[in-house]
């Protein structure tokens, strides 16, 4: 499977222009052979735009923008995973949704671990820890940004059978450690591929790190972006996954009876 990540500076509160950008990069990614395109956290509206603006722009999972993205996916012939503010049952969630080349919504995940006041003032926390879907023979999990910084989240997905975890994110300065060290560690300790799709540029007082990456189960980069706008590609190699899992048997060697106190 060939994955593309669009690392871009989304336009705050401009859904129409962000959809145009998504269409452009979906077509370019498909032309270069990608099966799926990952766009960053809160791609649809911008992230640091204020709680009221987020609430005003929030949509249901099957709303107008999802239908527009379904058309983009169909026309480009590529699956699309994107971040957006989701309105559901009177709450607003920081969500990520994936739509396949037939325009079908395959999965929707709500960020479960909220980062600081920026998240807590705008969103409710999702309570479904393990969301996976199947695409082109791969079982894929979804997390959003801060979620990956909790090892339990990634381990849950690995134990649920995920081969690959997609992580749309909006990581800002000064947290370079996360894409540079933590993401490779999570991939290695769980023997999975991880695609970490960040933003770049500035949004109010935030400056985003960029450094989007696709990392293999051996902890090595398959692809990595700089700090600026970029479309990166990486191929997920099934043979690498199989050989790495034979060499590094972390999941088989676990002793969960010793970890019960982690629930405290």
């Amino acid at each position: 499977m060939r994955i593309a990540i669009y690392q871009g500076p989304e336009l705050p509160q401009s859904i129409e222009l962000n959809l145009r950008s998504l269409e452009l990069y979906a077509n370019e990614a498909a032309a270069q052979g990608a099966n799926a395109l990952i766009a960053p956290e809160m791609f649809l509206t911008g992230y640091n735009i204020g709680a009221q603006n987020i609430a005003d722009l929030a949509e249901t999972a099957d709303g107008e923008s999802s239908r527009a993205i379904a058309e983009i996916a169909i026309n480009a012939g590529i699956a699309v995973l994107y971040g957006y503010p989701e309105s559901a049952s009177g709450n607003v969630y920081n969500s990520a949704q994936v739509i396949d080349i037939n325009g079908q919504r395959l999965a929707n995940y709500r960020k479960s671990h909220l980062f600081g006041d920026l998240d807590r003032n705008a969103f409710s926390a999702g309570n479904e820890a393990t969301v996976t879907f199947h695409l082109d023979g791969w079982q894929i999990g979804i997390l959003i940004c801060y979620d990956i910084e909790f090892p339990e989240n990634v381990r849950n997905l690995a134990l649920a059978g995920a081969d690959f975890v997609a992580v749309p994110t909006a990581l800002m300065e000064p947290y370079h450690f996360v894409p540079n060290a933590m993401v490779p560690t999570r991939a290695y300790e769980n023997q999975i591929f991880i695609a970490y799709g960040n933003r770049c540029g500035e949004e109010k007082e935030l400056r985003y790190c960029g450094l989007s990456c696709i990392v293999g189960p051996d902890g090595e980069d398959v692809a990595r972006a700089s700090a600026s706008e970029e479309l990166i590609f990486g191929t997920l190699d099934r043979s690498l996954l199989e050989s790495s899992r034979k060499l590094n048997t972390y999941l088989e060697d676990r002793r969960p009876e010793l970890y019960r106190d982690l629930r405290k």
Side-chain angles (χ1 to χ4, degrees):
M1 175 185 286
R2 186 163 166 80
I3 300 296
I5 294 176
Y6 170 55
Q7 176 177 282
E10 295 75 47
L11 297 174
Q13 303 177 61
S14 184
I15 291 175
E16 180 180 357
L17 293 179
N18 288 328
L19 287 174
R20 289 182 191 174
S21 177
L22 184 67
E23 182 175 23
L24 174 68
Y25 284 100
N27 281 300
E28 183 175 340
Q32 296 195 44
N35 305 91
L37 171 67
I38 298 171
E41 178 180 11
M42 290 288 288
F43 171 85
L44 195 60
T45 61
Y47 177 54
N48 187 30
I49 62 174
Q52 188 58 58
N53 288 324
I54 286 172
D56 291 343
L57 294 170
E59 300 185 19
T60 59
D62 61 351
E64 182 178 350
S65 293
S66 75
R67 294 192 293 273
I69 292 171
E71 288 298 314
I72 291 171
I74 292 169
N75 293 334
I78 191 170
V80 177
L81 191 154
Y82 66 99
Y84 75 108
E86 180 191 1
S87 175
S89 303
N91 295 317
V92 176
Y93 298 96
N94 183 336
S95 296
Q97 181 160 243
V98 60
I99 298 176
D100 71 9
I101 62 172
N102 299 309
Q104 299 298 309
R105 294 184 294 113
L106 298 184
N108 188 70
Y109 171 76
R110 297 166 177 169
K111 189 175 185 179
S112 59
H113 292 67
L114 301 182
F115 178 76
D117 290 341
L118 197 157
D119 269 351
R120 295 189 189 103
N121 290 339
F123 304 108
S124 297
N127 290 317
E128 191 171 1
T130 307
V131 172
T132 67
F133 62 96
H134 287 86
L135 182 69
D136 295 340
W138 291 77
Q139 186 170 350
I140 302 170
I142 308 173
L143 295 173
I144 298 174
C145 199
Y146 195 42
D147 288 329
I148 201 170
E149 298 178 39
F150 294 82
E152 299 87 350
N153 285 331
V154 189
R155 182 54 54 88
N156 275 340
L157 289 169
L159 293 176
D163 305 306
F164 164 46
V165 176
V167 190
T169 187
L171 184 77
M172 68 289 291
E173 302 280 358
Y175 302 112
H176 302 88
F177 175 83
V178 177
N180 286 336
M182 190 175 289
V183 171
T185 298
R186 293 283 178 269
Y188 189 85
E189 69 191 1
N190 290 288
Q191 288 299 291
I192 56 173
F193 285 93
I194 294 177
Y196 188 80
N198 198 16
R199 303 176 61 160
C200 63
E202 297 181 1
E203 192 179 45
K204 293 185 178 178
E205 74 279 9
L206 299 184
R207 182 170 181 82
Y208 296 105
C209 297
L211 302 176
S212 296
C213 55
I214 302 170
V215 181
D218 55 358
E220 299 294 328
D221 285 352
V222 176
R224 183 172 291 269
S226 65
S228 58
E229 186 172 12
E230 197 169 349
L231 185 66
I232 65 169
F233 295 86
T235 298
L236 309 189
D237 184 346
R238 177 71 69 179
S239 64
L240 172 60
L241 186 68
E242 293 171 352
S243 62
S244 185
R245 285 176 171 177
K246 287 180 181 178
L247 180 65
N248 299 305
T249 56
Y250 291 126
L251 298 184
E252 296 174 17
D253 296 339
R254 294 169 59 252
R255 295 185 60 195
E257 71 277 7
L258 301 181
Y259 314 145
R260 290 171 184 162
D261 287 347
L262 291 179
R263 293 180 59 87
K264 293 182 178 178

